[in-house]
Amino acid sequence: MTQKEIKENLDKIENIDELKLEVLRLKEEEGISEKVLSKYINKIKKHDLKVEKIKKSYNRGKLTEEERYNNVISIWEQATKAVVAALQDSFDDYNPI
């Protein structure tokens, strides 16, 4: 799989759970090392914590359903962009994975 194909696949991801699965798939099927993927997994965990905080705020009545939804979508988008950027930074320009 080329860098371009990986970026295209990650750009299609719509939620944090799909992002987690794709990172794990890259590890297993594409042979990307645990060390390389650990920084992406940490980025995902960071965004997961943000989603949990939003859920708690919603459950306490501090956010409406629409605000909760919009905030979670925004976090998913940020997580996807962060992982794509980190993956692209780790690629060698002259060598596919």
Side-chain angles (χ1 to χ4, degrees), residues 1 3 11 20 32 35 39 82 93:
M1 181 174 268
Q3 295 174 24
D11 284 343
K20 289 179 196 176
I32 298 175
K35 183 179 178 182
K39 62 182 166 184
D93 291 336

Side-chain angles (χ1 to χ4, degrees), residues 1-11 22-23 25-27 30-33 36-37 39-40 82-97:
M1 181 174 268
T2 66
Q3 295 174 24
K4 183 178 179 183
E5 291 170 331
I6 290 173
K7 182 185 181 313
E8 288 171 356
N9 285 347
L10 291 173
D11 284 343
E22 181 62 15
V23 168
R25 189 196 67 74
L26 288 171
K27 175 184 169 195
E30 302 299 331
I32 298 175
S33 74
V36 170
L37 288 176
K39 62 182 166 184
Y40 313 121
V83 171
V84 167
L87 273 170
Q88 288 176 331
D89 290 344
S90 70
F91 291 147
D92 179 3
D93 291 336
Y94 303 104
N95 190 8
I97 298 172

Side-chain angles (χ1 to χ4, degrees), residues 55-91:
K55 287 180 182 179
K56 284 181 184 178
S57 292
Y58 172 73
N59 290 337
R60 291 180 181 151
K62 295 180 180 179
L63 297 173
T64 65
E65 173 66 23
E66 184 177 349
E67 290 171 326
R68 182 203 61 80
Y69 177 82
N70 289 334
N71 286 331
V72 170
I73 294 297
S74 175
I75 288 171
W76 288 338
E77 290 171 351
Q78 292 170 16
T80 301
K81 288 177 185 176
V83 171
V84 167
L87 273 170
Q88 288 176 331
D89 290 344
S90 70
F91 291 147

